[in-house]
Amino acid sequence: MPVSSSNDIYYDPYDTDIDSDPYPVWRRMRDEAPLYYNERHDFYAVSRYGDVVDCLSDWDTYRSGRGSILELIKANIELPPGMILFEDPPVHDVHRGILARVFTPKAMDALESKVREFCVRSLDPVVGTGRFDFVKDLGAQMPMRTIGYLLGIPESDQEALRRRGTDLDGRDVASAQAAATGEEFESYIDWRAEHPSDDLMTQLLTAEFEDETGTTRTLTRGEILLYVQLLAGAGNETTTRLIGWTGKVLGEHPDQRRAVAADPSLVPRAIEELLRYEAPSPVQARYVNRDVTHHGHAVPEGSVILLLNGSANRDDRRFPDGDSFDIHRTPDRHLSFGRGIHSCLGAALARLEGRVALEEVLTRFPDWEIDRENAVQARTSTVRGWESLPVLVP
């Protein structure tokens, strides 16, 4: 099967028209060009579930150490240690191991009451107004507040941090946020060192580990700052997109929305299907570390390959009728949280936030209609979702 079976198959992660609805071209790629090559931007792409899983699972061939974003790999810059998304073993294993010790499902679950309280405070004021915005009224704020709870940042200061770190003018929000909030986070690290507590930041300050040189030590302040910025950036942007897609997809499937409202036990399954159906982070990039072959065609060492997990999540070979949204679908292993050594450490937290947000929305608004004229899709090359998703409610 050819790399590109005809000139009319074109996929470009920077094309906003394609990004609006990439699924038709992804389906054609899966069926006609499972190994795709884009000459303009010089990258390969795989789109079938099996191929994406294989590449995600083989970190030594498909490397993250040069970045996991196409433009970052192409820039060929040296990345600072501690950004585990952009690292390979052995240093990746050391840094991820530290986070895994403190970023546990149990620790995430302990945040549920605070997350729910925030949802209540956000949603109650819009009851009776006839409308609310899934992103601006809830999704843009809740994830950053949750990270603040986790880190031990006083809630009175969290909104200022969110405003300083949020940019919705089309740039990479996670990068903008990391740059804007670095100074503030650094001051909190210093403050927490003098005022230890039962939170993740204190645990990062005191955790002892053996680094890649065999030295037993604690993290430097610079390393802690990178960890905190990573958690704030990655956790905020993708969960915001999940909440936006919750409003969009359930707004377009009223029968399924009403079924969930009538039976709250369906909420976790609905969130899982939302993650499969609209992956907040649908494209992962890797540097090809050795010559490989896909579908009979060579991909040379030094290439960049995109792993289209958003496409894989709709592959009929794995998910029958994959382009259909179905909250009753038998749960299976979607790839929205990745696979292998870079699988998302915050998956439990994202699921908790998505579940609590949907439960609290449905308690107040079991029915809504999307205000399409005022909905605005966000534009970045790394995530898909909504800058604004207003809905009309009874």
Side-chain angles (χ1 to χ4, degrees):
M1 191 172 290
V3 174
S4 183
S5 61
S6 61
N7 291 330
D8 65 345
I9 296 182
Y10 182 75
Y11 171 65
D12 182 341
Y14 306 116
D15 188 309
T16 57
D17 290 334
I18 294 174
D19 184 63
S20 295
D21 182 11
Y23 297 106
V25 69
W26 284 349
R27 173 173 282 278
R28 289 198 62 196
M29 289 167 66
R30 291 194 302 268
D31 292 342
E32 302 174 39
L35 176 65
Y36 172 80
Y37 178 69
N38 181 298
E39 184 174 359
R40 178 182 178 186
H41 297 296
D42 186 27
F43 68 81
Y44 292 86
V46 291
S47 50
R48 291 182 180 176
Y49 185 94
D51 293 330
V52 174
V53 167
D54 288 346
C55 292
L56 287 172
S57 302
D58 183 1
W59 69 266
D60 194 33
T61 301
Y62 306 94
R63 296 268 182 147
S64 300
R66 295 172 182 253
S68 60
I69 303 168
L70 176 59
E71 53 266 38
L72 194 56
I73 300 175
K74 291 291 187 180
N76 195 29
I77 59 176
E78 185 175 350
L79 300 170
M83 301 295 286
I84 62 173
L85 295 176
F86 307 148
E87 291 182 331
D88 300 312
V91 65
H92 166 272
D93 296 344
V94 172
H95 292 153
R96 184 182 172 99
I98 298 167
L99 278 181
R101 273 195 276 164
V102 297
F103 209 72
T104 64
K106 182 179 180 181
M108 305 306 101
D109 290 342
L111 296 173
E112 178 169 344
S113 62
K114 290 185 177 180
V115 173
R116 195 174 297 279
E117 288 170 8
F118 178 77
C119 288
V120 169
R121 293 200 307 270
S122 299
L123 293 172
D124 278 355
V126 299
V127 173
T129 65
R131 63 186 299 120
F132 84 99
D133 193 309
F134 268 86
V135 178
K136 292 186 176 181
D137 291 328
L138 187 62
Q141 301 180 52
M142 189 181 78
M144 189 62 184
R145 292 293 181 97
T146 303
I147 294 297
Y149 299 145
L150 187 68
L151 293 170
I153 296 173
E155 188 170 356
S156 59
D157 296 328
Q158 290 180 23
E159 178 61 18
L161 282 172
R162 189 194 70 81
R163 287 197 304 268
R164 286 286 304 273
T166 300
D167 183 334
L168 293 174
D169 293 329
R171 289 181 285 169
D172 184 330
V173 178
S175 297
Q177 185 175 50
T181 58
E183 183 178 341
E184 288 89 343
F185 280 138
E186 191 169 9
S187 68
Y188 276 112
I189 293 170
D190 291 339
W191 180 80
R192 185 55 76 193
E194 298 297 325
H195 304 85
S197 183
D198 182 21
D199 55 44
L200 188 146
M201 193 177 287
T202 300
Q203 293 179 60
L204 289 176
L205 281 161
T206 58
E208 288 193 351
F209 68 100
E210 184 177 300
D211 67 18
E212 64 275 14
T213 69
T215 302
T216 299
R217 63 181 181 88
T218 57
L219 291 167
T220 67
R221 296 297 174 86
E223 289 171 328
I224 294 172
L225 179 60
L226 280 173
Y227 278 19
V228 170
Q229 288 177 294
L230 173 68
L231 293 173
N236 184 50
E237 180 68 356
T238 52
T239 306
T240 295
R241 300 310 176 214
L242 168 61
I243 294 171
W245 283 121
T246 298
K248 174 70 161 50
V249 176
L250 290 178
E252 294 174 336
H253 296 82
D255 291 345
Q256 296 192 62
R257 181 187 69 232
R258 290 169 190 143
V260 178
D263 181 2
S265 70
L266 292 173
V267 168
R269 181 170 286 195
I271 293 298
E272 214 61 28
E273 177 67 351
L274 282 161
L275 286 163
R276 181 200 69 84
Y277 188 72
E278 289 288 6
S281 178
V283 180
Q284 317 303 317
R286 296 291 188 268
Y287 175 84
V288 180
N289 193 44
R290 59 174 63 91
D291 293 346
V292 293
T293 300
H294 285 277
H295 298 279
H297 293 272
V299 178
E301 177 185 347
S303 300
V304 180
I305 190 166
L306 300 188
L307 314 181
L308 304 182
N309 55 299
S311 169
N313 280 349
R314 294 201 183 190
D315 189 350
D316 294 336
R317 297 161 188 82
R318 178 73 178 193
F319 304 98
D321 197 16
D323 281 327
S324 294
F325 178 76
D326 181 6
I327 60 170
H328 301 291
R329 185 183 296 275
T330 301
D332 209 336
R333 298 188 69 187
H334 63 71
L335 300 178
S336 292
F337 293 125
R339 187 68 60 85
I341 66 169
H342 287 288
S343 59
C344 179
L345 272 172
L349 184 57
R351 287 183 168 107
L352 181 150
E353 291 179 86
R355 172 177 60 79
V356 171
L358 180 53
E359 288 171 350
E360 294 299 327
V361 167
L362 289 174
T363 297
R364 294 160 180 79
F365 311 113
D367 285 299
W368 66 80
E369 181 180 343
I370 300 168
D371 181 2
R372 298 181 185 278
E373 290 186 1
N374 294 301
V376 179
Q377 192 166 357
R379 300 298 183 191
T380 80
S381 66
T382 56
V383 296
R384 284 189 73 244
W386 296 88
E387 177 181 329
S388 176
L389 203 286
V391 298
L392 307 176
V393 295

